[in-house]
């Protein structure tokens, strides 16, 4: 019976670590506003290029990146919920 308690405790600790990781990823995703400042790998603005078009590309790239991070955060939260549920049921 002691192994069930230990396994449940370890799963609960991992679930809490998942929550902390999700928070860090979410903060990293929301840290930078879309389209703010130059991007290292962004296109070089030429004389013929429309600045509005370049700005729109930056916003799209930033929003796409934020969407990828948000999908990862949701996956981590689902994993955390599953681990918490298993650790709650395991001692029974």
């Amino acid at each position: 019976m002691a192994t069930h308690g230990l396994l449940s405790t370890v799963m609960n600790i991992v679930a809490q670590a998942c929550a902390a990781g999700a928070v860090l990823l979410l903060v990293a995703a929301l840290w930078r506003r879309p389209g703010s400042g130059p991007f290292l790998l962004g296109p070089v603005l030429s004389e013929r290029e429309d600045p509005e078009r370049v700005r729109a590309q930056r916003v799209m790239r930033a929003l796409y990146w934020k969407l990828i991070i948000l999908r990862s955060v949701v996956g981590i939260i689902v994993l955390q919920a599953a681990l918490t549920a298993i650790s709650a049921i395991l001692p029974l």
Side-chain angles (χ1 to χ4, degrees):
M1 190 67 169
T3 57
H4 290 296
L6 179 63
L7 186 60
S8 175
T9 303
V10 168
M11 290 181 80
N12 201 11
I13 290 171
V14 171
Q16 296 307 315
C18 285
V23 166
L24 288 176
L25 275 177
L26 194 58
V27 167
L30 297 176
W31 188 263
R32 188 169 176 252
R33 287 182 309 136
S36 65
F39 185 63
L40 182 61
L41 300 175
V44 177
L45 186 63
S46 68
E47 294 176 11
R48 296 180 297 157
E49 195 100 36
D50 183 24
E52 290 297 320
R53 183 172 172 263
V54 173
R55 186 175 302 129
Q57 287 175 346
R58 285 184 188 156
V59 169
M60 287 293 289
R61 195 171 29 253
L63 290 176
Y64 181 72
W65 175 251
K66 288 175 191 278
L67 180 63
I68 290 173
I69 296 292
L70 188 60
R71 282 180 45 189
S72 301
V73 168
V74 168
I76 291 171
I77 290 172
V78 168
L79 176 65
Q80 178 201 9
L83 287 174
T84 303
I86 291 171
S87 69
I89 293 172
L90 200 58
L92 302 177

